[in-house]
Amino acid sequence: MDNALIYALNLVKEWLETHSVWTLDFPPYLPNLNPIEYLWLALKRKVFKLYLELEQIGQSKEDLERLIEACKEAWMALD
């Protein structure tokens, strides 16, 4: 659970408790407990290493397509 407001509703809490679903309370943002954050960071670094010019990317369709292709290439280049 990602601390979304829907999980804080009493109705949801009661349902989870009734169905023996126990949760742990965590602060709203703990990147060190979320391994995907490290993957995103590695991917971002690889994209900018391969395509330094993308740091100044715009919002055009062509720029988005370049970014998508750069992400695909960077993904394949990750260890």
Side-chain angles (χ1 to χ4, degrees):
M1 307 232 273
D2 58 359
N3 287 323
L5 290 178
I6 190 158
Y7 301 125
L9 296 174
N10 285 332
L11 179 66
V12 173
K13 289 179 181 179
E14 289 171 10
W15 187 92
L16 292 172
E17 196 171 307
T18 301
H19 291 85
S20 299
V21 177
W22 306 109
T23 61
L24 298 173
D25 291 327
F26 287 106
Y29 184 70
L30 279 176
N32 58 337
L33 294 179
N34 189 351
I36 194 71
E37 296 297 330
Y38 294 106
L39 180 59
W40 287 126
L41 179 60
L43 181 62
K44 180 179 176 181
R45 286 179 176 165
K46 185 65 81 170
V47 165
F48 289 133
K49 183 177 180 182
L50 295 172
Y51 298 95
L52 188 59
E53 72 276 6
L54 290 179
E55 286 189 29
Q56 302 299 324
I57 195 166
Q59 295 186 6
S60 70
K61 184 175 180 178
E62 294 80 19
D63 287 340
L64 177 59
E65 289 171 2
R66 284 180 45 229
L67 179 60
I68 290 170
E69 290 305 313
C71 287
K72 288 178 183 178
E73 186 176 330
W75 179 261
M76 297 306 290
L78 286 175
D79 296 337

